Amino acid sequence: MEMTEVTGVSLKRGSLAVEGSDSMAPAEEAKRQKVLDSCLPTVQDGLEHGSPPTSGHVPGPPEAVNAGQGRKNSDVQLEEEEEEEEDGLSEEAEEEEEAESFADMMKHGLTELDVGITKFVSSHQGFSGILKERYSDFVVHEIGKDGRISHLDDLSVPVDEEDPSEDVFTVLTAEEKQRLEELQLFKNKETSVAIEVVEDTKEKRTIIHQAIKSLFPGLETKTEDREGKKYIVAYHAAGKKALANPRKHSWPKSRGSYCHFVLYKENKDTMDAINVLSKYLRVKPNIFSYMGTKDKRAITVQEIAVLKITAQRLAHLNKCLMNFKLGNFSYQKNPLKLGELQGNHFTVVLRNITGTDDQVQQAMNSLKEIGFINYYGMQRFGTTAVPTYQVGRAILQNSWTEVMDLILKPRSGAEKGYLVKCREEWAKSKDPAAALRKLPVKRCVEGQLLRGLSKYGMKNIVSAFGIIPRNNRLMYIHSYQSYVWNNMVSKRIEEYGLKPVPGDLVLKGATATYIDEEDVNNYSIHDVVMPLPGFDVIYPKHKISEAYREMLTADNLDIDNMRHKIRDYSLSGAYRKIIIRPQNVSWEVVAYDDPKIPLFNTDVDNLEGKPPPVFASEGKYRALKMDFSLPPSTYATMAIREVLKMDTSIKNQTQLNTTWLR
């Protein structure tokens, strides 16, 4: 078992478009989310779908949070919601601007060397390949707590006599739906909306009552006679809290309170998807729960639970939304909890590979038998010239002026135009209100911080920063922990190789213990863990312990006191295995001629009865199709890095030659 190091040569091999790259085939680029009038006639293009913590892509936290966690102060939240429509950019405009500036933006990003990713475990010769040339080349299926892999294979709706007629989705006109939504969201001064019952029958009135109550949670209805005509009058039942709390009395007691379903999504991250679903269902996002977040640039399949929304309503969204599919519905007593998943199963295609069959065989056998170094992947550290770990370090140092400066200052490389203007205004005037006016999208982290500075003043940066949702704030300090861990693991492997040594740490249950001299042969490298720094962990009893201390001391942090004045930013620490061996590993090399054709079927393809692709024995290009399962909080890109032996940073990939498709 050999260990090799990143070299100058390995950084210049091939072309790999990795996480965060949004280059897609023209047909896919043109494919936008479309809405049928019957679903949401008043939906605005400008809705913002849960901005990440920085203007670049920021990775998921060690423990993702539910849609409703990390909420802002209620008055600020309401202010944001009131401004949401007028402030938003259309998704199309954002994507076009992103495509134009992406390559320039990445010139100033990070490489693997910048974040401590320097070692490989295997000795095979690397080769090049293209990852995520199409987002459909990267498919993630969640593995539930029972060990079953989630698949979308059933679109049927459970039969339930309590469900209203399908007519509830069509009985209201587009204008009536718009008026009801404005009433529901308190967007006008009306206290009620009256809908005339044309072709008055008891059945028709019942359907209108059901439609309003089921499609607009929080509204109640009554029937009134006005000048000889029948009207259904909608009004608020319980003030502004009604939106957040679905109507309790309308849900059958015999039915589980949560509708669980499998969500298949394309090119959307989990929070974006939940924001879209909540908007179309006219409910708050915090009634959804899930076991883990999934990346944007992929096809992902995962289980979601939602409080007191019927399978019938959810299934209706399949007629309205592109790039989403909902199915495998069931009613359960409990929501889903973060971290309950056992992991994820990946199906990945690396296109246009240059490796020989022998090289591929060696690489995949090594991945299956030895595994890969469990580094935190590049997406953990952001994609702009200011890495997220630098902000995290400043938070831990209690250097709040630096935190503000790192988030708001101008930076090298292209960014979205409005962010550049916002940063320029900030650098010139240090006026948060003036800088905020430059931002059409105010829910990005820069907008949230500027709003906080406007509210609390420049002398209370801690409170201003606190307006950013808690989960996003913690991402910064978790990024710093990950940065330290990557560097320390590289040092550990450089110093001691791929075998356990006395003083290493292993877990017994949840407790870390040291390997003694006499026990060293009872363990393998796959048992060894290393700590993320914190006040509740122990460090190895060998040279690497001093390396931790030196690194934190150089960053003006005290390894013996990782508690922070602000409790949220106190780090307890954790343990992480240094080598991961994927499960259920399989692979095949296929030949193909058209770089745009799919090389395997998705769940939706199978539901639609599409035959699987047939491959010729020879073709212009070769692709490596690989399947493997990983535990939670491990990075598939790091497994792929070990196979290809190349730098997976977006900066590196944008500097490589990708002309083979042109």
Side-chain angles (χ1 to χ4, degrees), residues 49-116:
H49 302 309
S51 305
T54 70
S55 52
H57 175 69
V58 172
E63 297 177 5
V65 298
N66 273 3
Q69 289 180 350
R71 289 189 295 273
K72 296 163 282 296
N73 295 336
S74 57
D75 55 336
V76 178
Q77 185 177 359
L78 185 62
E79 182 187 349
E80 284 190 359
E81 288 166 359
E82 287 169 351
E83 293 183 12
E84 192 169 3
E85 275 93 24
E86 66 191 50
D87 291 339
L89 284 182
S90 74
E91 193 169 287
E92 287 91 339
E94 286 198 55
E95 286 187 8
E96 283 167 16
E97 190 169 355
E98 195 173 309
E100 289 167 12
S101 64
F102 186 75
D104 285 336
M105 189 188 301
M106 289 306 104
K107 287 176 187 173
H108 301 272
L110 299 169
T111 67
E112 289 184 348
L113 291 169
D114 295 326
V115 294

Coordinates of all heavy atoms in Angstrom, one line a residue, residues 49-116:
H49 N -34.2 31.8 -4.0 CA -34.3 30.4 -3.5 C -33.2 30.1 -2.5 O -32.4 29.3 -2.7 CB -34.3 29.4 -4.6 CG -35.4 29.6 -5.6 ND1 -36.7 29.8 -5.2 CD2 -35.4 29.7 -6.9 CE1 -37.4 30.0 -6.3 NE2 -36.6 30.0 -7.4
G50 N -33.2 30.8 -1.3 CA -32.3 30.5 -0.2 C -30.9 30.7 -0.6 O -30.2 29.7 -0.9
S51 N -30.4 31.9 -0.5 CA -29.0 32.1 -0.9 C -28.0 31.4 0.0 O -28.2 31.3 1.2 CB -28.7 33.6 -0.9 OG -29.7 34.3 -1.6
P52 N -26.9 31.0 -0.6 CA -25.8 30.4 0.3 C -25.1 31.5 1.0 O -25.3 32.7 0.8 CB -24.9 29.7 -0.8 CG -25.1 30.5 -2.0 CD -26.5 31.0 -2.0
P53 N -24.2 31.1 1.9 CA -23.6 32.1 2.8 C -22.6 33.0 2.1 O -22.3 34.0 2.7 CB -22.8 31.2 3.8 CG -23.3 29.8 3.7 CD -23.9 29.7 2.4
T54 N -22.1 32.7 1.0 CA -21.3 33.7 0.3 C -21.8 33.8 -1.1 O -22.6 33.1 -1.6 CB -19.8 33.3 0.2 OG1 -19.7 32.2 -0.6 CG2 -19.3 33.0 1.6
S55 N -21.2 34.8 -1.8 CA -21.7 35.0 -3.2 C -21.3 33.8 -4.1 O -21.8 33.6 -5.1 CB -21.1 36.3 -3.8 OG -19.7 36.3 -3.5
G56 N -20.3 33.1 -3.7 CA -19.9 31.9 -4.4 C -20.6 30.7 -3.8 O -21.4 30.8 -2.9
H57 N -20.3 29.5 -4.3 CA -21.0 28.3 -3.8 C -20.3 27.9 -2.5 O -19.1 27.7 -2.4 CB -20.9 27.1 -4.8 CG -21.4 25.9 -4.2 ND1 -22.7 25.7 -4.0 CD2 -20.8 24.7 -3.8 CE1 -22.9 24.4 -3.5 NE2 -21.7 23.9 -3.4
V58 N -21.1 27.8 -1.4 CA -20.5 27.4 -0.1 C -21.0 26.0 0.2 O -22.2 25.7 0.0 CB -20.9 28.3 1.0 CG1 -20.5 27.8 2.3 CG2 -20.2 29.7 0.8
P59 N -20.2 25.1 0.7 CA -20.6 23.7 0.9 C -21.6 23.6 2.0 O -21.7 24.5 2.8 CB -19.3 23.0 1.2 CG -18.5 24.1 1.8 CD -18.8 25.4 1.1
G60 N -22.2 22.4 2.1 CA -23.1 22.1 3.2 C -22.4 22.0 4.5 O -21.2 21.7 4.6
P61 N -23.1 22.2 5.6 CA -22.5 22.2 6.9 C -22.3 20.7 7.3 O -22.8 19.8 6.7 CB -23.6 22.8 7.8 CG -24.9 22.5 7.1 CD -24.5 22.5 5.6
P62 N -21.5 20.5 8.4 CA -21.3 19.2 8.9 C -22.6 18.5 9.2 O -22.8 17.3 9.0 CB -20.4 19.3 10.2 CG -20.0 20.7 10.2 CD -20.9 21.5 9.3
E63 N -23.5 19.3 9.8 CA -24.9 18.8 10.0 C -25.8 19.8 9.4 O -26.0 20.9 9.8 CB -25.2 18.6 11.5 CG -24.3 17.6 12.2 CD -24.6 17.5 13.6 OE1 -25.5 18.2 14.1 OE2 -23.9 16.8 14.4
A64 N -26.4 19.4 8.2 CA -27.3 20.3 7.6 C -28.5 20.6 8.5 O -28.8 19.8 9.3 CB -27.8 19.7 6.3
V65 N -29.1 21.8 8.3 CA -30.2 22.1 9.2 C -31.5 22.1 8.4 O -31.6 22.2 7.2 CB -30.1 23.5 9.8 CG1 -28.8 23.5 10.7 CG2 -30.0 24.6 8.8
N66 N -32.6 22.0 9.1 CA -33.9 22.0 8.5 C -34.2 23.4 7.9 O -33.6 24.4 8.3 CB -35.0 21.7 9.6 CG -35.3 20.2 9.7 OD1 -34.6 19.4 9.0 ND2 -36.2 19.8 10.5
A67 N -35.2 23.4 7.0 CA -35.5 24.6 6.3 C -35.8 25.7 7.2 O -35.5 26.9 6.9 CB -36.6 24.3 5.3
G68 N -36.4 25.4 8.3 CA -36.9 26.5 9.2 C -35.9 26.9 10.3 O -36.2 27.8 11.0
Q69 N -34.7 26.2 10.4 CA -33.8 26.6 11.4 C -33.0 27.8 11.0 O -32.9 28.2 9.9 CB -32.9 25.4 11.7 CG -33.6 24.3 12.4 CD -32.7 23.1 12.7 OE1 -31.6 23.1 12.2 NE2 -33.2 22.2 13.4
G70 N -32.4 28.4 12.1 CA -31.5 29.5 11.8 C -32.3 30.7 11.4 O -31.8 31.5 10.5
R71 N -33.5 30.9 11.9 CA -34.3 32.0 11.4 C -33.8 33.4 12.0 O -33.2 33.4 13.1 CB -35.8 31.8 11.8 CG -36.4 30.7 11.0 CD -37.9 30.7 11.3 NE -38.2 30.4 12.6 CZ -38.3 29.1 13.1 NH1 -38.2 28.1 12.2 NH2 -38.6 28.9 14.3
K72 N -34.1 34.4 11.3 CA -33.7 35.8 11.7 C -34.7 36.3 12.7 O -35.7 35.7 12.9 CB -33.6 36.7 10.4 CG -32.6 36.2 9.4 CD -32.8 36.8 8.1 CE -34.0 36.2 7.4 NZ -33.7 34.8 7.0
N73 N -34.3 37.5 13.3 CA -35.3 38.2 14.1 C -36.5 38.4 13.3 O -36.5 38.7 12.1 CB -34.7 39.5 14.5 CG -33.5 39.4 15.4 OD1 -33.3 38.4 16.0 ND2 -32.6 40.4 15.4
S74 N -37.7 38.2 14.0 CA -39.0 38.2 13.2 C -39.2 39.5 12.5 O -39.8 39.5 11.4 CB -40.1 37.9 14.2 OG -40.2 38.9 15.2
D75 N -38.8 40.6 13.0 CA -39.1 41.9 12.3 C -38.3 42.0 11.1 O -38.7 42.4 10.0 CB -38.9 43.1 13.2 CG -37.5 43.1 13.8 OD1 -36.8 42.1 13.9 OD2 -37.0 44.2 14.2
V76 N -37.0 41.5 11.2 CA -36.1 41.6 10.0 C -36.6 40.6 8.9 O -36.6 40.8 7.7 CB -34.7 41.2 10.4 CG1 -33.8 41.2 9.1 CG2 -34.2 42.3 11.4
Q77 N -37.1 39.4 9.4 CA -37.6 38.4 8.5 C -38.8 38.9 7.7 O -38.9 38.7 6.5 CB -37.9 37.1 9.3 CG -38.3 35.9 8.4 CD -38.6 34.7 9.2 OE1 -38.5 34.7 10.4 NE2 -39.0 33.6 8.5
L78 N -39.7 39.5 8.4 CA -40.9 40.1 7.8 C -40.5 41.1 6.8 O -41.0 41.1 5.6 CB -41.8 40.6 8.8 CG -43.2 41.1 8.3 CD1 -43.9 40.0 7.7 CD2 -44.0 41.8 9.4
E79 N -39.5 42.0 7.1 CA -39.1 43.0 6.2 C -38.5 42.4 4.9 O -38.8 42.8 3.8 CB -38.0 43.8 6.9 CG -37.4 45.0 6.1 CD -36.3 45.7 6.8 OE1 -36.0 45.4 8.0 OE2 -35.6 46.4 6.1
E80 N -37.7 41.3 5.1 CA -37.2 40.6 4.0 C -38.2 40.0 3.1 O -38.2 40.1 1.9 CB -36.2 39.5 4.4 CG -34.9 39.9 4.9 CD -34.0 38.8 5.1 OE1 -34.3 37.6 4.9 OE2 -32.8 39.1 5.5
E81 N -39.3 39.4 3.7 CA -40.3 38.8 2.9 C -41.1 39.9 2.2 O -41.5 39.6 1.0 CB -41.2 38.0 3.9 CG -40.6 36.7 4.4 CD -41.3 36.1 5.5 OE1 -42.3 36.7 6.0 OE2 -40.8 35.1 6.0
E82 N -41.3 41.0 2.8 CA -42.1 42.1 2.1 C -41.3 42.6 0.9 O -41.9 43.0 -0.1 CB -42.3 43.2 3.1 CG -43.4 42.9 4.1 CD -43.4 43.9 5.2 OE1 -42.6 44.8 5.3 OE2 -44.4 43.8 6.0
E83 N -40.0 42.6 1.0 CA -39.2 43.1 -0.2 C -38.8 42.0 -1.2 O -38.2 42.3 -2.2 CB -37.8 43.7 0.4 CG -38.0 44.9 1.2 CD -36.7 45.5 1.7 OE1 -35.7 45.1 1.2 OE2 -36.7 46.3 2.6
E84 N -39.2 40.8 -0.9 CA -38.7 39.6 -1.6 C -39.0 39.8 -3.1 O -38.1 39.6 -4.0 CB -39.3 38.3 -1.1 CG -38.6 37.1 -1.6 CD -39.0 35.9 -0.9 OE1 -39.9 36.0 0.0 OE2 -38.5 34.8 -1.2
E85 N -40.2 40.0 -3.5 CA -40.6 40.1 -4.9 C -39.9 41.2 -5.6 O -39.3 41.1 -6.7 CB -42.1 40.2 -5.1 CG -42.8 38.8 -5.1 CD -43.3 38.5 -3.7 OE1 -43.5 39.5 -2.9 OE2 -43.5 37.3 -3.4
E86 N -39.9 42.4 -5.0 CA -39.4 43.5 -5.7 C -37.9 43.5 -5.8 O -37.3 44.1 -6.7 CB -39.8 44.8 -5.0 CG -39.2 45.0 -3.6 CD -39.9 46.2 -2.9 OE1 -41.1 46.2 -2.8 OE2 -39.2 47.0 -2.4
D87 N -37.2 42.8 -4.9 CA -35.8 42.7 -4.9 C -35.2 41.7 -5.8 O -34.0 41.7 -6.2 CB -35.3 42.5 -3.5 CG -35.5 43.7 -2.6 OD1 -35.7 44.8 -3.1 OD2 -35.6 43.5 -1.4
G88 N -35.9 40.6 -6.1 CA -35.3 39.5 -6.7 C -34.9 39.7 -8.2 O -35.6 40.4 -8.9
L89 N -33.8 39.0 -8.6 CA -33.5 38.9 -10.0 C -34.1 37.7 -10.5 O -34.3 36.7 -9.8 CB -32.0 38.8 -10.1 CG -31.1 40.1 -9.9 CD1 -29.7 39.7 -10.2 CD2 -31.5 41.2 -10.9
S90 N -34.4 37.6 -11.8 CA -34.9 36.4 -12.3 C -33.8 35.4 -12.3 O -32.6 35.7 -12.5 CB -35.4 36.6 -13.8 OG -34.3 36.7 -14.6
E91 N -34.2 34.1 -12.2 CA -33.3 33.0 -12.2 C -32.5 32.9 -13.5 O -31.3 32.7 -13.5 CB -34.0 31.7 -11.9 CG -33.1 30.5 -11.6 CD -34.0 29.3 -11.1 OE1 -34.5 29.4 -10.0 OE2 -34.1 28.4 -11.9
E92 N -33.2 33.2 -14.6 CA -32.5 33.2 -15.9 C -31.4 34.3 -15.9 O -30.3 34.0 -16.4 CB -33.5 33.5 -17.0 CG -34.5 32.4 -17.3 CD -35.8 32.4 -16.5 OE1 -35.8 33.1 -15.5 OE2 -36.7 31.8 -16.9
A93 N -31.7 35.5 -15.5 CA -30.7 36.6 -15.5 C -29.5 36.2 -14.7 O -28.4 36.4 -15.1 CB -31.3 37.9 -15.0
E94 N -29.8 35.6 -13.5 CA -28.6 35.2 -12.6 C -27.8 34.2 -13.3 O -26.6 34.2 -13.3 CB -29.2 34.7 -11.3 CG -29.7 35.8 -10.4 CD -29.8 35.3 -9.0 OE1 -28.8 34.8 -8.4 OE2 -30.9 35.4 -8.4
E95 N -28.4 33.2 -14.0 CA -27.7 32.1 -14.6 C -26.9 32.6 -15.8 O -25.8 32.2 -16.0 CB -28.6 30.9 -15.0 CG -29.1 30.1 -13.8 CD -29.9 28.9 -14.2 OE1 -29.9 28.6 -15.4 OE2 -30.5 28.3 -13.3
E96 N -27.5 33.5 -16.5 CA -26.8 34.1 -17.7 C -25.5 34.8 -17.2 O -24.4 34.7 -17.8 CB -27.7 35.0 -18.5 CG -28.7 34.2 -19.4 CD -29.7 35.1 -19.9 OE1 -29.5 36.3 -19.9 OE2 -30.8 34.6 -20.4
E97 N -25.7 35.6 -16.2 CA -24.6 36.4 -15.7 C -23.5 35.5 -15.1 O -22.3 35.7 -15.3 CB -25.1 37.4 -14.6 CG -24.0 38.4 -14.2 CD -24.6 39.5 -13.3 OE1 -25.8 39.5 -13.1 OE2 -23.8 40.3 -12.9
E98 N -24.0 34.4 -14.4 CA -23.0 33.5 -13.9 C -22.2 32.8 -15.0 O -21.0 32.6 -14.8 CB -23.9 32.4 -13.1 CG -23.1 31.6 -12.2 CD -24.0 30.7 -11.3 OE1 -25.0 31.2 -10.8 OE2 -23.8 29.5 -11.3
A99 N -22.9 32.4 -16.1 CA -22.2 31.7 -17.1 C -21.1 32.6 -17.8 O -20.0 32.2 -18.1 CB -23.2 31.3 -18.2
E100 N -21.5 33.9 -17.9 CA -20.5 34.9 -18.5 C -19.3 35.1 -17.7 O -18.2 35.2 -18.2 CB -21.2 36.2 -18.7 CG -22.3 36.2 -19.8 CD -23.2 37.5 -19.7 OE1 -22.8 38.4 -19.0 OE2 -24.2 37.5 -20.4
S101 N -19.4 35.1 -16.4 CA -18.3 35.5 -15.6 C -17.6 34.3 -14.9 O -16.6 34.5 -14.2 CB -18.7 36.4 -14.5 OG -19.7 35.8 -13.6
F102 N -18.1 33.1 -15.1 CA -17.6 32.0 -14.3 C -16.1 31.7 -14.5 O -15.4 31.6 -13.5 CB -18.4 30.7 -14.7 CG -18.1 29.5 -13.8 CD1 -18.6 29.5 -12.5 CD2 -17.3 28.5 -14.2 CE1 -18.2 28.4 -11.7 CE2 -16.9 27.5 -13.4 CZ -17.4 27.4 -12.1
A103 N -15.6 31.6 -15.7 CA -14.2 31.3 -15.9 C -13.3 32.4 -15.3 O -12.3 32.1 -14.6 CB -13.9 31.2 -17.4
D104 N -13.7 33.7 -15.5 CA -12.9 34.7 -14.9 C -12.9 34.6 -13.3 O -11.9 34.8 -12.7 CB -13.4 36.1 -15.3 CG -13.1 36.4 -16.7 OD1 -12.1 35.8 -17.2 OD2 -13.8 37.2 -17.4
M105 N -14.1 34.4 -12.8 CA -14.2 34.3 -11.4 C -13.3 33.2 -10.8 O -12.7 33.4 -9.7 CB -15.7 33.9 -11.0 CG -16.0 34.1 -9.5 SD -17.7 33.4 -9.2 CE -18.7 34.4 -10.3
M106 N -13.2 32.1 -11.5 CA -12.4 31.0 -10.9 C -10.9 31.2 -11.0 O -10.2 30.5 -10.3 CB -12.8 29.7 -11.7 CG -14.2 29.2 -11.3 SD -14.4 29.1 -9.5 CE -15.4 30.5 -9.2
K107 N -10.4 32.1 -11.8 CA -9.0 32.4 -11.9 C -8.4 32.7 -10.6 O -7.2 32.5 -10.3 CB -8.7 33.5 -12.9 CG -8.9 33.1 -14.4 CD -8.7 34.3 -15.3 CE -9.1 33.9 -16.7 NZ -9.0 35.1 -17.6
H108 N -9.2 33.3 -9.7 CA -8.6 33.7 -8.4 C -9.1 32.8 -7.2 O -9.0 33.2 -6.1 CB -9.1 35.2 -8.2 CG -8.6 36.1 -9.2 ND1 -7.3 36.7 -9.2 CD2 -9.1 36.5 -10.4 CE1 -7.2 37.5 -10.3 NE2 -8.2 37.3 -11.0
G109 N -9.6 31.7 -7.6 CA -10.1 30.8 -6.5 C -9.0 30.0 -5.9 O -7.8 30.2 -6.1
L110 N -9.4 28.9 -5.2 CA -8.5 28.1 -4.4 C -8.1 26.9 -5.2 O -8.8 26.4 -6.1 CB -9.2 27.6 -3.1 CG -9.6 28.7 -2.1 CD1 -10.5 28.0 -1.1 CD2 -8.4 29.4 -1.5
T111 N -6.9 26.4 -4.9 CA -6.5 25.0 -5.4 C -6.5 24.1 -4.2 O -6.6 24.5 -3.1 CB -5.1 25.1 -6.0 OG1 -4.1 25.3 -5.0 CG2 -5.0 26.1 -7.1
E112 N -6.4 22.8 -4.5 CA -6.3 21.8 -3.4 C -5.2 22.1 -2.4 O -5.3 22.0 -1.2 CB -6.2 20.4 -4.0 CG -7.5 20.0 -4.7 CD -7.4 18.5 -5.2 OE1 -6.3 18.0 -5.2 OE2 -8.4 18.0 -5.5
L113 N -4.0 22.5 -3.0 CA -2.9 22.8 -2.1 C -3.2 23.9 -1.1 O -2.7 23.9 0.1 CB -1.7 23.3 -2.9 CG -1.0 22.2 -3.8 CD1 -0.1 22.9 -4.8 CD2 -0.3 21.2 -3.0
D114 N -4.1 24.9 -1.4 CA -4.5 26.0 -0.5 C -5.2 25.5 0.7 O -5.3 26.2 1.7 CB -5.3 27.0 -1.3 CG -4.6 27.7 -2.4 OD1 -3.3 27.9 -2.2 OD2 -5.2 28.0 -3.4
V115 N -5.9 24.3 0.6 CA -6.7 23.9 1.7 C -6.2 22.5 2.3 O -6.9 21.8 2.9 CB -8.2 23.7 1.3 CG1 -8.8 25.1 1.0 CG2 -8.4 22.8 0.1
G116 N -4.9 22.2 2.0 CA -4.3 21.1 2.7 C -4.5 19.8 2.0 O -4.1 18.7 2.6

